[in-house]
Amino acid sequence: EHHRTAGSMASTSTQTGNLLITIAASLAVCIAVARSMSYLSRRGGLSSSGQIKGNARGTGLLSRKNGLRTKIAQHHSPQKLSVSVACAEAKRGSQVVSAGSSKLEKVDKDNGELFDAIIFDMDGTLVSSTNLAHEATNTVLEEFGYNSITKHEYGQGTKYTTPVRLAWHAGIDDDDLAEKMGAAFDSSIIRLVTAENVPTFPGIKELLTEIRAAGIGMAVLSNASGKYVRRVNQAHSIAASFLVGLGADDVKRAKPSPLGLEEILREHYGIKDAAEKRTVYIGDSVSDGQAAKAAGMVAIGVTWGENTRETLSAAATFDHIFDKVEELRSFLLAV
């Protein structure tokens, strides 16, 4: 009887040991999964549903698909069910930021990595130029014999380059005339730009200072003219924050083409393939999201510019949409 009891105790001890080993293995795998999910949430790779998006880089858990999308590989493990349960608990303290959310949730930052390249749009993203640009647009339209437009109509046209936008407002299909109108607009607005009539959005200058202090190279790509971009940077004394500031006339093709972004990454960051690095483009127009995704970058939409959250969400081109500069700061700097 004594031997049977001892044997039973030894068996129970063995089972308990095996159980503890299994639990330890499950927790180890779970921690690895949670850290990977946390990394993806900061880098724009994971939606709230758990779907991998954009150009998130993997650590063995990911495989590229169609150039822009990735998916989590299936893990064939005896602990699969246990890991699923444990990870469900771990995720409660490590929630991700997703398009359609106006609020940043707490994210585990222990293994956070910063972006290799951050590129901004100009109007509607860094600065508010609506009043001045609307006024200059009407001046040009009236000078060329066309009706003035409302501020709302101006906002609808900002997805186009300046010549195309003016032709669209005027209702004409004449490339030569559009170029003349565009040149008149650029000449007029560049002379008028000041830090007062084209102000930065609240919190933007502080954000640029923090990004620069973190050692991350920044650039600007706009569908306005290059001279305008550089004039705005000069007016706000922020030109030194950027590796380069380019407009539609500085690149081979304007947004939504990715060529401008690809040129900046290649020529100023030494990045030949955006999907192989941590790169992000931030803008307020649908064309910004289209250009970013086509270039293989994380696409960020902001709603303090010319377009609403509804408009940006409907386009389905952004990985994340932010309503506040502070939300953008938290995402870019993982703070």
Side-chain angles (χ1 to χ4, degrees):
E1 182 68 20
H2 172 74
H3 292 301
R4 285 198 296 272
T5 301
S8 176
M9 291 175 64
S11 176
T12 301
S13 177
T14 300
Q15 292 175 359
T16 301
N18 290 337
L19 177 60
L20 289 174
I21 291 172
T22 301
I23 292 173
S26 297
L27 289 175
V29 175
C30 178
I31 289 170
V33 173
R35 285 178 175 174
S36 295
M37 291 176 66
S38 173
Y39 167 76
L40 290 175
S41 70
R42 286 191 297 275
R43 290 287 68 83
L46 197 62
S47 72
S48 58
S49 63
Q51 176 187 4
I52 303 299
K53 301 171 64 179
N55 66 326
R57 297 177 65 194
T59 57
L61 292 174
L62 305 178
S63 60
R64 296 282 306 282
K65 180 180 180 182
N66 297 330
L68 292 178
R69 292 184 178 273
T70 56
K71 64 179 180 179
I72 297 179
Q74 296 297 319
H75 296 275
H76 301 287
S77 165
Q79 291 85 22
K80 184 174 181 181
L81 292 179
S82 298
V83 169
S84 299
V85 173
C87 285
E89 293 295 323
K91 283 175 64 179
R92 294 180 185 178
S94 179
Q95 298 177 345
V96 298
V97 183
S98 64
S101 171
S102 62
K103 180 180 179 181
L104 282 181
E105 302 293 347
K106 182 179 179 181
V107 178
D108 177 17
K109 309 176 185 66
D110 291 343
N111 296 320
E113 294 184 62
L114 298 177
F115 282 100
D116 297 304
I118 297 176
I119 306 179
F120 291 93
D121 174 45
M122 176 61 80
D123 294 323
T125 302
L126 296 178
V127 300
S128 175
S129 60
T130 300
N131 291 336
L132 180 62
H134 175 233
E135 181 181 343
T137 295
N138 280 336
T139 297
V140 170
L141 288 172
E142 290 166 4
E143 285 179 357
F144 281 80
Y146 298 99
N147 295 329
S148 61
I149 59 172
T150 65
K151 190 174 292 186
H152 176 69
E153 290 170 327
Y154 163 77
Q156 289 180 312
T158 56
K159 58 188 174 183
Y160 302 118
T161 61
T162 301
V164 175
R165 180 176 63 80
L166 287 163
W168 184 70
H169 290 317
I172 61 174
D173 184 15
D174 186 327
D175 291 345
D176 291 336
L177 182 56
E179 288 296 330
K180 291 179 181 179
M181 295 172 73
F185 176 89
D186 288 339
S187 177
S188 172
I189 198 168
I190 290 170
R191 289 196 309 270
L192 296 172
V193 167
T194 68
E196 289 70 37
N197 59 22
V198 184
T200 57
F201 289 101
I204 286 295
K205 283 190 175 181
E206 293 79 4
L207 173 61
L208 297 180
T209 298
E210 288 193 64
I211 294 174
R212 189 179 181 188
I216 307 173
M218 294 178 287
V220 175
L221 177 64
S222 171
N223 265 0
S225 72
K227 288 183 178 179
Y228 168 78
V229 169
R230 293 182 281 276
R231 174 69 189 112
V232 171
N233 285 342
Q234 180 186 40
H236 286 286
S237 301
I238 57 175
S241 297
F242 303 108
L243 297 174
V244 67
L246 300 181
D249 53 342
D250 294 322
V251 297
K252 292 181 179 179
R253 197 172 301 165
K255 299 175 291 184
S257 167
L259 293 181
L261 292 173
E262 292 171 348
E263 177 183 328
I264 290 175
L265 291 174
R266 183 176 61 253
E267 300 296 329
H268 299 278
Y269 291 92
I271 297 175
K272 295 182 179 181
D273 184 356
E276 297 300 324
K277 295 290 184 178
R278 296 174 294 275
T279 62
V280 60
Y281 184 58
I282 303 142
D284 71 310
S285 296
V286 172
S287 59
D288 296 324
Q290 293 170 332
K293 297 309 291 181
M297 303 175 72
V298 173
I300 301 296
V302 297
T303 62
W304 51 80
E306 294 296 337
N307 290 286
T308 64
R309 170 176 285 278
E310 289 70 28
T311 297
L312 299 183
S313 296
T317 58
F318 292 101
D319 294 302
H320 304 287
I321 300 173
F322 297 120
D323 300 318
K324 298 178 181 179
V325 173
E326 180 59 30
E327 294 176 348
L328 177 62
R329 171 181 174 272
S330 295
F331 179 80
L332 295 178
L333 297 173
V335 295

